[in-house]
Structures are given as C-alpha cells and as structure tokens.
Amino acid sequence: MASMAQWGWPAVRALRLWGAGGERAWARRPRIAGRGTPISSAGVSSVFGSGGGSKKEKLFLQDIAELIRARACQRVVVMVGAGISTPSGIPDFRSPGTGFYSSFQHSDVPYPEAIFELSFFLHNPRPFCTWAKEMYPGNYRPNIIHYFLRLLHDKGLLLRLYTQNIDGLERVSGIPGSKLVEAHGSFASATCTVCRRTSPVEDFWAAVMGDRVPSCAVCTGVVKPDVVFFGEALPQRFLLHVVDFPTADLLLILGTSLQVEPFASLSEAVRSSVPRLFMNQEAVGPLSWRPRSRDVLQLGDLVDSVERLVELLGWSQELKDLVQRETGKLSGQDR
C-alpha cells in the first residue's frame, strides 16, 4: 500500500477538493443506566475532566455511552475492517484457520495474497474472478453492526465512516456515499487496465458470473473493479482524513487488525484528548502496545460488544426497528 507520506497533503488541499466537514458538501461490563435517566452535566464533565490539572480517570464503555447520549460527542469518526462483515457470512482475511488467507486454495495461485497483487492479476485474472464471484452483490446482507453505524448517521452523529471493506455492505445498510471513505475501493465501478476507460460494472459482473474474464468493449483489455490492490494508490477521497480526524470528538474502531497501512495509522490521527473505543476479538495495533489514557478496549465477540453499547445508549428498540424495516426492503428487492 502507499505510504502515509503520500497522503500528507495540507488540509487546505483536502478542503478545496471536498468542501468543509460533515454532511455539508463533503474490561468490565459496566452498570446499565436507567433508560429515562438524563445525563447530568456533572457526569459529562467528570468524563472529560474538569480542568485545573485534575487527573483523568480511566474510561469504560458506560462513559462512552454517556458522552454520546449527552451529545458531548457529535463528530464521530468510525474505522472498520473485515470483522464487521463476518457476522454476514463473509470470512475476514487474517484469522488463523478461518480467514481467507488461511482457507483459499487455487492451483494457479502461489500464495493467497497474490490474487490482490496487480502484477499477478494482469498475468492471470481468473483466480481473482473466482473469488469475486462469491462477492456478487446480493449474496450477503448487512448485519446489526452495519445498522448500528447507520443509526449513528440517522442521529446526526457520524462525521465519516472509513472502511477497509470492499463488500459494499455499508452502502447497502443505507449510509450515504458522502459519509463513506472506502479506503480500499469497491466493486461499485470498474476500469479497463489497458485504455483506462470506465467500464459498465454490469458488464463486469455478467462476465464474472458467467465464469469469463471481464474484457473492455473498446480495446479488449482486462477489466478490473476499482478495488485497491497491493501497491496501488488509495482513492483520492482518502484525503478526507486530513480534515476529519483532527476535528473528531470520538473515534470508534471496529473489527480491524490495524495491520494494513496507511489505514492503520489513522487510529493515531485524532487528538490525544479524544476518546477511542476499540471493539475487536483481541487487542492489536497501537491501541495494544501504546494505549492512551482515554482508550476503551471492548474485546470479544463484536456483535455482543455492539449490542452492549446499544443497550447502554438506550437505542435497542430503535435499532431493532431499523433492522426489521431495512431487511424487509431488501427481501422485497429479492422477489
């Protein structure tokens, strides 16, 4: 992947490209507060610290929920990885024994990562196409984690969602493109690798589903979806991080191994005073070996962790209603 230095453009450049923020153009199990109990300003100030050099207390999941409920955090940036899609049935990449890199076997592939290397794809695109066939839109559906993030957006709290995933389930859940940064691209568009013309994505899928290599209608070159392969530049929209992370007042990190750069380094880009909530099966990355005083690590099953946060927020019924409503829409589209 490209180095972080490649993306160190001034914030002014990013603002000129994308406009200024938001929707505008651009561990312990804690106690559960009563549903109708208002959050006092004293409670919020105790979480943020009251100044005067007072020592900051360690935060827990309850504290994050109180900050959100009190709307003390209204510019939430979210980073997600493959772990949020495993409940939808999509394997992650790196889990030993169950991840894609452990289980993928193809006689023409020297090692699993090769199907995401551009040089190998240009030499032999068939293994990637075989894998892409499994990712056909409609094969998988969003799960409760995607809809929790959608609820953050519906409540006006989501500044931006940065995703490593190429499955497109964030879009399917109803999160608008203006709120998404698909750092590793997506299957939503495709480009000829020879003449660089945009190719209809419907033609790409027709070829893949018919077990054919997608080819350009103009020059017959191999067509590749706009998924970022190893060694390729990230989408220009990734530059939004220059503006988003310094202005965030809460960072949520869900289901990512924080191993692939430059995405992983974004976890360090928020101000040191900003709480970071990390939900994952295990502690990884800088939050493991260089934690900050305002970090909250919620380890274990990701669905359980999200449901616990939703319960603390008092959003359980709203989330249930949203899931039922959106699932019904998708079921209707399938008929």
Side-chain angles (χ1 to χ4, degrees):
M1 294 292 182
S3 66
M4 279 299 289
Q6 181 177 352
W7 303 106
W9 294 12
V12 173
R13 168 65 172 158
L15 280 168
R16 188 161 64 244
L17 283 169
W18 300 109
E23 185 70 20
R24 305 177 290 279
W26 156 224
R28 298 178 307 204
R29 180 160 186 167
R31 64 203 181 281
I32 298 177
R35 300 254 190 245
T37 305
I39 307 297
S40 67
S41 58
V44 173
S45 65
S46 70
V47 173
F48 275 115
S50 55
S54 60
K55 185 178 179 180
K56 294 177 182 177
E57 296 181 359
K58 177 175 175 58
L59 301 186
F60 295 96
L61 192 63
Q62 172 76 36
D63 300 312
I64 300 297
E66 288 180 352
L67 288 171
I68 296 174
R69 289 177 62 192
R71 300 191 73 83
C73 294
Q74 299 186 58
R75 298 186 304 278
V76 182
V77 170
V78 183
M79 298 172 61
V80 300
I84 76 164
S85 292
T86 54
S88 295
I90 303 175
D92 65 17
F93 287 92
R94 291 181 167 79
S95 292
T98 60
F100 170 77
Y101 290 148
S102 296
S103 60
F104 183 81
Q105 294 185 1
H106 196 290
S107 59
D108 294 335
V109 179
Y111 46 90
E113 292 91 338
I115 73 167
F116 299 111
E117 293 178 357
L118 187 59
S119 59
F120 182 81
F121 176 82
L122 295 176
H123 168 72
N124 182 9
R126 288 190 178 277
F128 175 83
C129 292
T130 298
W131 175 79
K133 188 174 181 179
E134 295 298 314
M135 300 300 295
Y136 181 74
N139 284 357
Y140 302 99
R141 290 186 174 184
N143 60 65
I144 194 171
I145 304 170
H146 297 98
Y147 288 119
F148 162 66
L149 301 175
R150 159 73 184 277
L151 196 54
L152 276 178
H153 163 67
D154 288 350
K155 290 180 175 290
L157 300 174
L158 181 65
L159 176 59
R160 206 86 59 195
L161 169 57
Y162 287 72
T163 177
Q164 293 175 285
N165 299 334
I166 59 177
D167 52 46
L169 293 183
E170 296 89 0
R171 289 178 180 267
V172 178
S173 73
I175 299 172
S178 63
K179 289 294 183 179
L180 290 174
V181 173
E182 293 163 319
H184 295 166
S186 76
F187 283 103
S189 57
T191 303
C192 175
T193 57
V194 177
C195 70
R196 306 306 301 169
R197 287 183 173 86
T198 298
S199 180
V201 72
E202 297 81 7
D203 293 352
F204 168 82
W205 284 118
V208 165
M209 299 308 290
D211 296 320
R212 304 187 308 274
V213 173
S215 60
C216 178
V218 177
C219 74
T220 72
V222 176
V223 170
K224 171 185 164 296
D226 293 331
V227 171
V228 178
F229 280 21
F230 290 113
E232 287 192 296
L234 271 62
Q236 195 175 37
R237 189 169 169 79
F238 187 75
L239 289 169
L240 279 169
H241 78 82
V242 176
V243 174
D244 288 346
F245 281 75
T247 61
D249 51 23
L250 175 63
L251 177 62
L252 305 184
I253 308 171
L254 285 70
T256 172
S257 63
L258 293 177
Q259 291 188 26
V260 179
E261 295 292 356
F263 186 91
S265 294
L266 293 181
S267 63
E268 298 288 281
V270 293
R271 292 164 291 146
S272 60
S273 60
V274 171
R276 301 186 299 181
L277 171 58
F278 181 52
M279 292 181 171
N280 202 42
Q281 286 284 357
E282 58 184 359
V284 295
L287 285 88
S288 174
W289 46 265
R290 194 172 64 229
R292 299 178 182 177
S293 62
R294 308 183 69 72
D295 289 349
V296 177
L297 270 63
Q298 190 73 21
L299 305 181
D301 183 83
L302 191 54
V303 170
D304 289 345
S305 295
V306 169
E307 287 180 337
R308 188 176 304 173
L309 176 58
V310 169
E311 186 178 12
L312 290 167
L313 288 165
W315 295 356
S316 296
Q317 189 59 50
E318 285 181 87
L319 183 57
K320 181 180 178 180
D321 293 344
L322 176 63
V323 171
Q324 290 180 342
R325 184 168 64 250
E326 294 299 319
T327 300
K329 289 181 183 178
L330 293 176
S331 297
Q333 293 172 7
D334 291 341
R335 295 194 186 102

